Amino acid sequence: MSSTTSTDTAKRAKLPSLTGLRFFAALLVFFFHSSLMDSPIPPNAPINPFADEGIANAFETAFGKAGYLGVSFFFVLSGFVLAWASKPGERTTAFLRRRLLKIFPNHLVVFAASLLLFAGAAVTSVADWLPNMLLIHTWFPQPSVNLSVNPPSWSLGSELLFYMLFPLLIVPIRKIRGGALWFWSAVMVAGTIGVQLVSTYLVPATPKSAITPVSDMQFWFGYLLPAGRLFEFVLGILLARIVLAGRWPRRVGFGISLALTAVGYAAALVLPFQYGFVAATIVPVAALIAATAASDVDGRVTFLRSRPMVWLGEVSFGFYLVQGVTIFYLRSLLGETTYGIGGSLLVVAGFFLASLLGGWLLFRFVESPAMTHFGRSKRRTAPAAAAASDPAPVTTGTSAPEPVSAGSGREH
């Protein structure tokens, strides 16, 4: 039985629970990064701080696909929230201005910090760092380019493509009849599997990557290439239409979706490596986003919509983006030293606090001022501009990843 919520009611609903849920996606990426046995920045020493080999391996195994899950969540969420807030007739220039202001100010600040602290010595060629600065670096198959400077910024290359294409994509998607939305959603899911089939059987499997079970070309094509991530983004747009139309089934609520996500993650851990990027978890991620949005539409109170969770969701983009500095760089300062259980937990806690502080600083002093001063057309009146701005609880930062979402051979 589908939700009986009317389309008009859904359109008026804010989605604070989705904002809160964003932080947990960013947190998955954080634990993934903290568990890495090989840093994406030279000298590629382990980030995982545990001295006990068994505990270190268990930590890495438990979160070995967490970053992939978190980034996929953000890509689907990005399509969902943009479609949710979209209004027919909205000027493309106004839309793009707000979207670019969402990612570029934060990106450029962390880009500069990364060059100053650690990347400047390794990235000496303009051909390596300029594509990163412009967020076109993930179109290049070379690891020296697509994971250069601040490794987590790779996901912003996909977000930039999403933003450029959204004004074109939303027009035909609005015309899809209600009953066909599920068909096209299934096509998008099949597309994520198709990308990995092409990567597995048609992309060269040699030379092998030094830090993943696949080749650098396979990792680039199957994970980093923005074109391949469009399936997740479009799926998010379709899901927003499904929820807006009251077609999301009530029986698939947050609890069931969370359980499905756990099952999908377990599958990602045992399936061939590249199928853990997206294919194993895409259906549960889609269900989790749609079910959480539907709970907000129905007015159900969840802990995700509490003020602390909404705040954490708002800073999650910065929390994700600074991890190249607050995890990779800070860990390099400790050398290859490993620690006992207590010391390792303190190290991970330090990474977390530094990342959270960095995320808040970016949100408070970079992202928010940029949106306030430049995100609205000066030709509009103040009330009109306020009405046209994105609903705060709906806005997604990278969505990846604005995290989410790695930078090493397994980076988000």
Side-chain angles (χ1 to χ4, degrees):
M1 176 178 168
S2 298
S3 170
T4 57
T5 304
S6 72
T7 301
D8 290 341
T9 300
K11 286 181 177 178
R12 290 194 297 269
K14 294 183 178 181
L15 306 176
S17 295
L18 270 185
T19 302
L21 190 60
R22 281 173 50 192
F23 178 72
F24 287 103
L27 193 61
L28 289 175
V29 179
F30 168 83
F31 281 117
F32 170 84
H33 287 157
S34 300
S35 70
L36 288 174
M37 289 296 191
D38 35 55
S39 172
I41 66 173
N44 306 113
I47 292 174
N48 193 315
F50 289 94
D52 184 285
E53 186 176 349
I55 297 176
N57 289 335
F59 185 33
E60 182 187 38
T61 299
F63 293 101
K65 299 296 175 70
Y68 305 135
L69 173 61
V71 168
S72 186
F73 174 94
F74 278 109
F75 286 168
V76 177
L77 180 67
S78 184
F80 190 100
V81 297
L82 291 183
W84 192 271
S86 177
K87 303 174 182 66
E90 180 181 25
R91 291 187 301 120
T92 299
T93 53
F95 168 81
L96 291 177
R97 180 176 61 249
R98 292 198 305 274
R99 292 301 104 200
L100 296 180
L101 284 170
K102 270 290 178 184
I103 57 175
F104 267 102
N106 279 355
H107 162 62
L108 292 175
V109 168
V110 182
F111 173 90
S114 299
L115 278 180
L116 179 66
L117 293 172
F118 63 87
V123 183
T124 56
S125 170
V126 174
D128 287 341
W129 62 259
L130 184 60
N132 182 291
M133 187 180 75
L134 299 176
L135 293 181
I136 59 173
H137 54 309
T138 42
W139 292 97
F140 293 77
Q142 301 90 344
S144 62
V145 178
N146 58 46
L147 294 175
S148 63
V149 191
N150 178 40
S153 69
W154 78 264
S155 65
L156 301 189
S158 292
E159 289 289 342
L160 182 60
L161 176 66
F162 300 162
Y163 296 162
M164 295 295 106
L165 292 183
F166 179 78
L168 300 177
L169 291 170
I170 190 62
V171 175
I173 291 177
R174 282 197 183 111
K175 298 178 181 178
I176 297 175
R177 293 183 178 181
L181 291 170
W182 289 105
F183 168 78
W184 285 108
S185 296
V187 170
M188 296 305 109
V189 171
T192 67
I193 300 172
V195 168
Q196 299 313 322
L197 290 173
V198 172
S199 176
T200 301
Y201 296 107
L202 298 180
V203 176
T206 56
K208 290 290 185 181
S209 166
I211 48 182
T212 72
V214 297
S215 70
D216 284 330
M217 282 293 292
Q218 287 176 316
F219 184 74
W220 168 72
F221 184 89
Y223 189 67
L224 300 176
L225 183 62
R229 308 312 294 258
L230 273 171
F231 292 107
E232 295 152 271
F233 178 69
V234 175
L235 177 60
I237 299 175
L238 292 165
L239 286 171
R241 278 220 53 205
I242 287 171
V243 177
L244 281 169
R247 291 177 173 269
W248 183 255
R250 283 183 176 275
R251 61 182 176 274
V252 185
F254 178 80
I256 291 178
S257 300
L258 193 61
L260 288 174
T261 303
V263 172
Y265 186 75
L269 293 176
V270 298
L271 286 172
F273 179 72
Q274 55 268 47
Y275 294 93
F277 294 156
V278 182
T281 56
I282 185 61
V283 171
V285 162
L288 187 61
I289 289 172
T292 303
S295 70
D296 277 339
V297 170
D298 293 341
R300 281 171 267 162
V301 177
T302 69
F303 80 98
L304 292 170
R305 63 189 300 162
S306 65
R307 182 170 296 182
M309 285 310 308
V310 170
W311 180 84
L312 287 169
E314 288 174 340
V315 304
S316 62
F317 177 29
F319 174 77
Y320 162 80
L321 197 58
V322 298
Q323 289 177 24
V325 173
T326 59
I327 298 179
F328 304 152
Y329 173 67
L330 290 183
R331 183 66 175 99
S332 71
L333 298 181
L334 300 176
E336 298 189 24
T337 305
T338 53
Y339 306 88
I341 295 176
S344 296
L345 292 176
L346 286 175
V347 169
V348 173
F351 291 160
F352 176 80
L353 293 175
S355 300
L356 190 61
L357 175 61
W360 173 76
L361 289 173
L362 285 175
F363 177 74
R364 175 66 179 81
F365 296 105
V366 180
E367 180 181 337
S368 292
M371 293 299 296
T372 299
H373 295 296
F374 305 108
R376 299 167 183 170
S377 174
K378 294 181 179 180
R379 291 179 297 176
R380 298 182 179 186
T381 63
S389 64
D390 292 339
V394 179
T395 302
T396 180
T398 84
S399 272
E402 278 147 5
V404 173
S405 324
S408 71
R410 303 174 314 162
E411 170 73 5
H412 305 76

